[in-house]
Amino acid sequence: MSLIIALHLGEGIVMASDSRTTFSTTIHKQDGTIVQNNGVHYSDSSYKTFLTPKGIGISTCGQASINNKPIAGYIESFINEHKDECVDEIKDEIIPYFKALCQTIDTDFIIGGYINTGKTYEQKLYRIFTAIDKIESINTDIQGAIWDGEIDVLSRVLTTMYTQSGNALTDYQIPFNHFTIQDAIDFAKYAIQTTIDTMKFQQRGKTVGGPIDILIIKPDNAFWIARKELHK
């Protein structure tokens, strides 16, 4: 699993992801029944956020391999085959492309970018669920954030908590509507790093980890704030 996040602001879109890939090991009894299914740390160098030549961001979480190969290579091939398409065309091609590779695929995507209407640039953001053939359009008229993957840690941070007597603790809301682009970058880093740091102390698979990649998409350009590089 992974944690991916996208924040949509008047200034632009911020997309971020962690870098950890895990695989599952299933142990069977002799009669064929499952004993356990564990997530095992495998790599901290996986790419989960991508940028097309047309300035469209693609983030992915969930099933991380197809035909026993990392999904990143297939996403790069998809981008090469659809490099001249706009964000609305890209979001319609994702499910058919990956279903053709694996009918049982269970990978989620977040797609973000802009469309030039001739008068202005229209911000677009989508969530795509390949397992259920669903495309969800995000309302970007107001500023906000969406996330997918291992969201339980972040959800607890942002959910109203109650005392044992049933009284709600003071709920300090996150003012996404007032965020600047720097605030969004800081929040994306915070969300993923907090998940990594919390998982470190929990009795669970460490399924979020590694470097954090952060992509900025504006109407007229797109660029990386943080992007891990290959090295010797």
Side-chain angles (χ1 to χ4, degrees):
M1 189 54 83
S2 314
L3 179 58
I4 59 176
I5 184 168
L7 295 99
H8 49 96
L9 317 173
E11 294 180 68
I13 300 170
V14 176
M15 301 178 69
S17 56
D18 73 303
S19 298
R20 179 160 295 175
T21 293
T22 58
F23 67 90
S24 296
T25 57
T26 303
I27 302 174
H28 297 270
K29 292 181 180 179
Q30 289 184 350
D31 61 3
T33 58
I34 296 176
V35 176
Q36 61 185 8
N37 195 335
N38 293 328
V40 180
H41 170 215
Y42 178 68
S43 173
D44 274 346
S45 59
S46 298
Y47 290 100
K48 302 176 185 179
T49 297
F50 303 83
L51 177 63
T52 79
K54 288 290 187 180
I56 300 161
I58 302 176
S59 289
T60 179
C61 67
Q63 181 179 331
S65 67
I66 299 175
N67 301 324
N68 292 317
K69 297 178 182 179
I71 197 171
Y74 292 102
I75 296 174
E76 290 175 352
S77 294
F78 173 84
I79 290 173
N80 287 332
E81 294 177 29
H82 299 81
K83 59 186 177 183
D84 296 323
E85 295 182 357
C86 70
V87 62
D88 278 347
E89 293 169 324
I90 289 288
K91 59 96 173 171
D92 288 332
E93 296 289 345
I94 286 281
I95 292 177
Y97 185 91
F98 285 93
K99 283 281 191 177
L101 295 170
C102 177
Q103 278 294 317
T104 59
I105 190 170
D106 188 6
T107 301
D108 296 347
F109 294 88
I110 295 177
I111 311 293
Y114 286 84
I115 290 181
N116 187 346
T117 65
K119 296 181 179 179
T120 185
Y121 287 93
E122 186 176 348
Q123 190 180 84
K124 297 283 188 175
L125 191 63
Y126 299 97
R127 293 178 69 185
I128 299 175
F129 307 92
T130 59
I132 57 176
D133 295 337
K134 180 180 179 182
I135 300 175
E136 177 186 352
S137 179
I138 305 302
N139 178 14
T140 59
D141 291 337
I142 57 175
Q143 297 196 161
I146 59 173
W147 43 83
D148 201 350
E150 297 281 16
I151 64 173
D152 60 294
V153 173
L154 184 58
S155 296
R156 289 189 181 98
V157 171
L158 301 179
T159 298
T160 302
M161 304 298 291
Y162 294 85
T163 65
Q164 290 184 340
S165 59
N167 296 320
L169 299 175
T170 302
D171 188 8
Y172 298 102
Q173 297 293 315
I174 305 295
F176 292 113
N177 56 309
H178 294 302
F179 269 23
T180 66
I181 201 83
Q182 184 63 60
D183 294 330
I185 293 168
D186 293 343
F187 182 84
K189 289 174 58 180
Y190 158 81
I192 296 175
Q193 192 61 53
T194 297
T195 298
I196 294 171
D197 292 343
T198 302
M199 283 185 168
K200 176 180 178 179
F201 299 103
Q202 293 178 328
Q203 294 181 340
R204 63 187 295 179
K206 316 306 181 186
T207 51
V208 180
I212 300 171
D213 292 333
I214 303 176
L215 173 66
I216 309 300
I217 305 172
K218 286 178 168 287
D220 57 347
N221 69 330
F223 53 94
W224 295 98
I225 287 292
R227 180 71 162 174
K228 57 185 168 290
E229 297 180 356
L230 299 178
H231 55 83
K232 294 181 180 180

